[in-house]
Amino acid sequence: GLLNIAHFDFTQKLLQRVSADLTSKLLENDFLRAKFLVRFVACCALANVIAFKDFFQLLNKLLDVLDRENIAPRTFDQVVYVVLASLPYLIGEVEAEDAEQLNQYIQRCQVYVRQRTHHKNPLLRVFPDDEAGTDIIEALSNCITECTTQGGEIQAILKPHRHFKSVLTGKKHEFGFDVVPLEAIADSSSFRPYFRIFEAESSPFKIDHPVMDRFLVSEYVHDILISFQVIHKEGTKQLLSINVPFDYAYIVIETLLSSLVSLPHPPLKLLITYGVYIVDLFNARKEVYPPLLGLAVNTMFSNIDAYDIQLRDRLSQWFAWHLSNFGYMWPWPAWEGVLELDPLDAPRVFVSNVLEKAVKLSYWERLQQTLPPIFGQLLPATPKPNFRFRAIKPTSSENKEFTEDERNVALAQALSVLI
């Protein structure tokens, strides 16, 4: 807004670039950056750079995609989510006339969310028996509903435009946007699940943040994980400096682990990236993140039999790697109960898988020395060398001659040492 007052022509070029980039990102199926751009346009409306009618026109063109044919249902999900993600920035910040139009777009999106059924694919459920599982788009829709009905201030969104209302009165730009180019876009992957590991009733620390604030911080964390996955050190700095007036450390752990158990595959390209982020957080706030992760892992472990079997394997792979970075230190006695279970019960299989993968990251003796002796029965068999040709006996004269030559060489070496 302030830039618009000082450099009007430059701001016009900037908006043209935003419009072109938005078209490009939609064409590339890059909905994450499309979400950032639409959110930026919403903030431009709040800063008096463009009129709200132009922003609503953008939303209208995006939602017109829902009336098209031959487009994958999950692409519809992505477009609706891009729209929904920008709406919390306007709730409570627009005049009555614009607020009424804003509610129309909210209702249009919520009708779509209620009517869709394709997200209930049982193969993509974290908990196979949970038919009512909630994904991110449904969770955001519910948060917006609660926020608009109950009111209240959204603390997780910065509102710098409020401090410059008397100044942001310059001339507005027109924001032009063409038709959304989605005809040839293929089906998109499913949204990650939205489930809470930490609940207010069972958590040892205070959790009383409004659902919208908790959701938005979770989205900030997820966006940072995706955007900085190749430069995790910078990503960790961003995770530690989210500007909200409450301690959100538990949301960081919760979001990391919920992202890790997404189906059919996690959002981050490399599974080890989750572990690296957690190790960085441990080093940055040693007094905060280790207890939180311990509580989260124990909570997930207590329900491990409800998880999809692929996710149990993924969790065991990450957890083994995590333990290898901290000397395999863990309150193992708390898990002694698995030793009394059937060998095929999920908790016992999970611990066995963790130890099997841990041996591959270290060596068998190290695990034996670190674990309580009672857990030795869950360790894999002691690895031994496999001499493939030890049992092969020479069957030809050439083999016999070669074996005799070998023995002669060994005898000569032994004699030379004695001499």
Side-chain angles (χ1 to χ4, degrees):
L2 297 176
L3 183 64
N4 182 46
I5 296 173
H7 304 282
F8 184 82
D9 293 338
F10 175 79
T11 309
Q12 177 64 40
K13 295 178 181 179
L14 177 62
L15 291 173
Q16 291 172 353
R17 177 63 182 271
V18 169
S19 178
D21 283 354
L22 179 56
T23 301
S24 174
K25 296 308 175 186
L26 290 172
L27 189 60
E28 296 170 4
N29 204 13
D30 189 350
F31 290 102
L32 177 64
R33 284 164 180 79
K35 180 181 73 171
F36 295 158
L37 291 169
V38 174
R39 183 190 300 171
F40 175 77
V41 177
C43 293
C44 284
L46 291 172
N48 207 45
V49 177
I50 65 172
F52 279 105
K53 66 178 182 62
D54 288 345
F55 176 69
F56 292 142
Q57 187 176 5
L58 169 62
L59 298 187
N60 195 54
K61 289 182 177 180
L62 288 170
L63 293 177
D64 281 347
V65 172
L66 301 179
D67 299 326
R68 299 186 196 174
E69 298 179 354
N70 301 322
I71 294 182
R74 296 196 183 281
T75 301
F76 289 150
D77 283 1
Q78 295 282 6
V79 173
V80 171
Y81 186 70
V82 166
V83 172
L84 280 174
S86 66
L87 300 184
Y89 289 77
L90 302 181
I91 295 175
E93 300 296 319
V94 296
E95 301 296 333
E97 181 180 350
D98 294 324
E100 183 178 351
Q101 193 169 359
L102 178 64
N103 287 330
Q104 293 177 4
Y105 288 105
I106 292 175
Q107 293 171 8
R108 186 176 177 184
C109 291
Q110 290 175 337
V111 168
Y112 168 79
V113 172
R114 286 195 300 268
Q115 293 178 347
R116 70 190 185 126
T117 57
H118 53 271
H119 69 297
K120 298 297 184 180
N121 186 341
L123 297 178
L124 300 178
R125 293 179 192 156
V126 173
F127 308 106
D129 297 331
D130 181 15
E131 296 183 2
T134 302
D135 63 2
I136 289 297
I137 187 172
E138 190 174 352
L140 176 54
S141 177
N142 295 337
C143 289
I144 291 176
T145 299
E146 182 171 333
C147 189
T148 53
T149 55
Q150 297 183 3
E153 184 79 5
I154 301 178
Q155 301 180 41
I157 295 179
L158 298 178
K159 303 176 178 66
H161 60 278
R162 290 183 176 180
H163 304 285
F164 300 95
K165 276 191 173 182
S166 59
V167 180
L168 300 176
T169 56
K171 185 179 177 181
K172 298 179 182 179
H173 297 275
E174 291 186 2
F175 184 78
F177 184 73
D178 296 328
V179 179
V180 180
L182 289 176
E183 287 81 357
I185 288 184
D187 198 357
S188 305
S189 59
S190 62
F191 281 91
R192 73 185 191 279
Y194 184 71
F195 66 93
R196 296 175 176 177
I197 298 173
F198 302 108
E199 293 293 350
E201 304 81 35
S202 58
S203 176
F205 50 88
K206 187 177 181 181
I207 298 179
D208 59 355
H209 311 123
V211 292
M212 179 59 82
D213 287 319
R214 186 172 182 175
F215 180 89
L216 288 173
V217 174
S218 176
E219 277 297 275
Y220 296 156
V221 172
H222 179 260
D223 293 345
I224 290 171
L225 296 177
I226 298 295
S227 301
F228 294 93
Q229 57 182 306
V230 296
I231 42 175
H232 61 90
K233 289 294 184 183
E234 183 61 32
T236 304
K237 292 179 183 177
Q238 297 293 328
L239 290 175
L240 294 170
S241 58
I242 298 175
N243 195 349
V244 291
F246 54 83
D247 190 356
Y248 58 89
Y250 75 95
I251 303 178
V252 176
I253 293 296
E254 194 172 57
T255 306
L256 271 163
L257 294 180
S258 65
S259 176
L260 178 63
V261 296
S262 298
L263 287 171
H265 49 74
L268 301 187
K269 295 179 180 179
L270 298 176
L271 187 63
I272 194 174
T273 309
Y274 290 97
V276 171
Y277 269 122
I278 291 174
V279 170
D280 287 346
L281 291 170
F282 272 36
N283 293 331
R285 297 186 68 184
K286 296 181 177 63
E287 74 287 353
V288 174
Y289 282 101
L292 280 176
L293 183 70
L295 179 61
V297 170
N298 278 318
T299 302
M300 297 178 77
F301 178 72
S302 65
N303 298 303
I304 197 66
D305 55 341
Y307 283 78
D308 179 88
I309 191 168
Q310 177 184 345
L311 298 180
R312 299 178 204 169
D313 183 70
R314 192 186 300 167
L315 281 170
S316 66
Q317 186 176 349
W318 158 74
F319 192 51
W321 185 89
H322 176 80
L323 292 175
S324 72
N325 283 272
F326 295 96
Y328 301 98
M329 302 302 296
W330 184 255
W332 295 106
W335 285 6
E336 286 184 2
V338 303
L339 302 173
E340 302 175 2
L341 299 177
D342 186 274
L344 296 181
D345 281 353
R348 181 172 177 134
V349 172
F350 175 79
V351 177
S352 297
N353 288 344
V354 169
L355 297 181
E356 180 182 354
K357 293 176 173 63
V359 168
K360 294 177 181 179
L361 295 169
S362 181
Y363 52 96
W364 192 88
E365 289 77 11
R366 171 70 185 281
L367 270 294
Q368 184 191 37
Q369 295 168 7
T370 305
L371 295 173
I374 195 172
F375 278 88
Q377 58 185 290
L378 297 183
L379 283 172
T382 308
K384 297 180 180 179
N386 180 19
F387 298 105
R388 294 173 56 192
F389 304 105
R390 170 179 285 178
I392 298 178
K393 298 181 179 180
T395 57
S396 65
S397 60
E398 291 83 1
N399 287 339
K400 291 180 179 179
E401 183 179 350
F402 177 77
T403 305
E404 291 175 358
D405 289 344
E406 254 192 337
R407 290 173 180 170
N408 292 334
V409 169
L411 179 60
Q413 291 175 345
L415 290 175
S416 65
V417 172
L418 293 175
I419 293 173

